[in-house]
Amino acid sequence: KKRGWSPDDVASAIETDPDIEPRNRVFHALALKSYREYERLLEEESAMDFDDLLTLATLRVMEDGDRAAINIGRGEVVRVADLRWILLDEYQDFSELYYRMLNAILEVNPGIRVVAVGDDWQAINGFAGAQLTFFKDFGVHFSDSGVANVSTNYRSEPVIVKAGNLLMKSRGQPARAYRKGTGEILIRPIDRLF
């Protein structure tokens, strides 16, 4: 759903390009059945989920154009046309629906400067629709952009940074530890802690 696919879109993709692994095909069939049921229950309850809200917000910006506005609370409203900056935090978790919404905003106000902050080594939300392609191909998705890499870790002890670098070896530039401490990793069975 985070990729903007309806259950029928998913069914078409499964039918057009079935997985060669039988277990995956069973999983896809069960996932599709669950997705159809989930959408049916949302409709039955006249409810919507966060993905529906993103989709509706995108449509609203597209329909309202330069009249599109954001309610920021306490009765204050900011027009999308007046925005100067957008900060995308945790950018490694960016999805197709976020991209569509941002594109709608940029259509209304192409002068907005977009700043994205994220860490591809923390990309763990693929199950929730995050697509690392937006991170890795930032310049493709946002023209006239630049990238500034921050490889110094300012919050973790050197031993943690070293362990992370070993885990992610050959997957990019290794991080540097800012701290000069000699932290240690303590491993304790959780049942003995309480």
Side-chain angles (χ1 to χ4, degrees):
K1 189 168 185 177
K2 290 209 181 298
R3 294 193 179 181
W5 291 11
S6 69
D8 289 340
D9 295 331
V10 174
S12 177
I14 291 171
E15 187 177 311
T16 302
D17 189 20
D19 198 295
I20 59 169
E21 173 62 43
R23 288 182 297 178
N24 290 350
R25 287 196 305 271
V26 170
F27 174 78
H28 292 157
L30 289 172
L32 176 58
K33 184 175 181 177
S34 298
Y35 187 19
R36 284 192 192 285
E37 180 64 10
Y38 174 71
E39 288 297 306
R40 187 192 66 73
L41 289 171
L42 283 177
E43 187 174 335
E44 183 178 291
E45 296 290 324
S46 297
M48 51 176 64
D49 61 16
F50 187 70
D51 296 332
D52 294 328
L53 291 174
L54 283 175
T55 300
L56 286 175
T58 301
L59 292 172
R60 184 72 181 261
V61 169
M62 291 167 62
E63 289 170 2
D64 290 355
D66 62 358
R67 294 184 331 270
I70 303 165
N71 182 338
I72 58 174
R74 296 186 184 152
E76 291 186 59
V77 175
V78 174
R79 289 181 41 226
V80 170
D82 294 334
L83 293 175
R84 294 177 54 209
W85 294 90
I86 292 181
L87 172 65
L88 305 171
D89 196 15
E90 301 295 340
Y91 188 64
Q92 72 275 1
D93 297 333
F94 207 65
S95 72
E96 177 69 28
L97 290 183
Y98 286 125
Y99 182 68
R100 290 178 185 185
M101 183 171 63
L102 184 57
N103 266 348
I105 291 169
L106 290 171
E107 285 288 321
V108 170
N109 183 349
I112 293 177
R113 301 291 307 249
V114 177
V115 177
V117 179
D119 182 351
D120 58 339
W121 285 12
Q122 293 184 32
I124 60 170
N125 289 318
F127 70 91
Q131 294 169 271
L132 205 50
T133 183
F134 294 109
F135 190 98
K136 291 186 176 197
D137 299 327
F138 187 80
V140 172
H141 299 290
F142 301 99
S143 60
D144 297 326
S145 64
V147 175
N149 291 312
V150 179
S151 60
T152 301
N153 183 316
Y154 291 95
R155 66 179 177 203
S156 300
E157 293 290 332
V159 68
I160 299 294
V161 174
K162 183 179 177 183
N165 284 337
L166 285 172
L167 180 68
M168 300 302 287
K169 190 175 182 163
S170 303
R171 296 184 187 269
Q173 182 179 351
R176 293 185 309 270
Y178 176 73
R179 297 180 184 182
K180 303 293 182 213
T182 57
E184 59 185 66
I185 299 174
L186 301 173
I187 300 174
R188 300 282 185 263
I190 196 163
D191 60 333
R192 293 187 186 161
L193 292 176
F194 299 101

